[in-house]
Amino acid sequence: DAKTTQPNSMESNEEEPVHLPCNHSTISGTDYIHWYRQLPSQGPEYVIHGLTSNVNNRMASLAIAEDRKSSTLILHRATLRDAAVYYCILRGGSNYKLTFGKGTLLTVNP
Amino acid sequence: DVKVTQSSRYLVKRTGEKVFLECVQDMDHENMFWYRQDPGLGLRLIYFSYDVKMKEKGDIPEGYSVSREKKERFSLILESASTNQTSMYLCASGGLGSTDTQYFGPGTRLTVL
């Protein structure tokens, strides 16, 4: 499985944008980039996914580098409820299981 | 809103007991999954089911069994609980494809004494 690398932790202030990076230098051409997050004492929840183009939804935006070796999850205005562990994972082919690494613990300061 | 529910949020059992963890989804998904999550080890797949009465082993099936008698319900069974099965257990349902989403329940934190 292709691996992803994320910073262990990041900090942000409420109402400010947050850019969460993810490196995936061994990504294959058919791998989709998915982001999930896990709030304290909750199960993971889907955030967004993309292949090549940048993607937006009501929760976040996903910016994908042209060479696809890295991506950035963008929360446009962080709230206290966005404090969570964010996981960047790759899904391709017959990879039906989700493999989460350590993720990035996002702290949001009031 | 899509929903995956798990029978208990917290459970304490004794070594050797038989333990049942239940999961119900309301999204009519064919596929359901059981994972366990441990600090430093991430998420690991125990079993998944792709249809009623059908199951596949995941990465760590030893010590566990599963049951899927109805499409919406997927049970994880610890035949004889051991202390090394103390963990957070997460049920999910969803697709298998690379563009598909998996929807998770809130988790059951199981402690085996």
Side-chain angles (χ1 to χ4, degrees):
Chain A
D1 287 341
K3 277 192 155 178
T4 63
T5 306
Q6 300 175 253
N8 289 334
S9 62
M10 291 186 66
E11 216 169 305
S12 172
N13 295 320
E14 213 176 355
E15 308 278 312
E16 289 183 359
V18 182
H19 290 234
L20 297 163
C22 181
N23 288 318
H24 28 77
S25 57
T26 59
I27 191 170
S28 78
T30 55
D31 284 341
Y32 280 77
I33 302 155
H34 287 245
W35 284 80
Y36 281 73
R37 72 179 186 181
Q38 189 168 17
L39 280 64
S41 302
Q42 301 280 336
E45 66 173 339
Y46 166 79
V47 178
I48 200 167
H49 76 273
L51 183 64
T52 54
S53 307
N54 294 344
V55 185
N56 301 297
N57 67 20
R58 63 175 179 80
M59 287 181 74
S61 296
L62 177 59
I64 300 171
E66 205 168 319
D67 64 5
R68 301 211 325 126
K69 293 186 176 181
S70 66
S71 60
T72 302
L73 179 71
I74 302 164
L75 307 179
H76 295 285
R77 288 181 67 205
T79 70
L80 297 178
R81 287 177 296 178
D82 291 322
V85 179
Y86 286 78
Y87 298 98
C88 166
I89 63 173
L90 304 179
R91 296 195 76 187
S94 59
N95 183 15
Y96 52 81
K97 64 184 176 186
L98 295 183
T99 304
F100 286 17
K102 292 184 179 174
T104 297
L105 174 63
L106 176 66
T107 302
V108 180
N109 300 313
Chain B
D1 227 5
V2 299
K3 237 185 173 142
V4 178
T5 56
Q6 295 184 229
S7 49
S8 308
R9 292 300 304 272
Y10 300 94
L11 212 50
V12 179
K13 294 292 181 182
R14 298 220 171 265
T15 303
E17 278 193 79
K18 192 167 186 175
V19 182
F20 292 87
L21 303 182
E22 300 263 303
C23 174
V24 178
Q25 53 103 355
D26 67 358
M27 294 162 282
D28 203 35
H29 286 151
E30 305 284 342
N31 310 296
M32 296 185 74
F33 309 82
W34 275 107
Y35 294 89
R36 64 178 279 179
Q37 186 175 34
D38 300 287
L41 296 175
L43 210 65
R44 293 180 291 169
L45 182 66
I46 304 171
Y47 267 99
F48 87 99
S49 168
Y50 52 91
D51 202 349
V52 173
K53 297 193 189 296
M54 306 306 287
K55 63 187 180 189
E56 286 278 346
K57 292 181 180 179
D59 296 323
I60 50 164
E62 297 78 19
Y64 304 94
S65 62
V66 289
S67 172
R68 185 125 179 247
E69 296 296 320
K70 292 186 176 182
K71 190 176 186 180
E72 68 271 17
R73 193 177 295 268
F74 192 34
S75 301
L76 180 70
I77 303 145
L78 286 65
E79 296 289 343
S80 176
S82 64
T83 55
N84 63 12
Q85 292 177 309
T86 291
S87 185
M88 169 70 90
Y89 289 88
L90 291 159
C91 175
S93 72
L96 301 180
S98 52
T99 59
D100 292 325
T101 300
Q102 288 186 19
Y103 299 90
F104 286 83
T108 296
R109 183 159 298 280
L110 173 67
T111 302
V112 182
L113 302 175

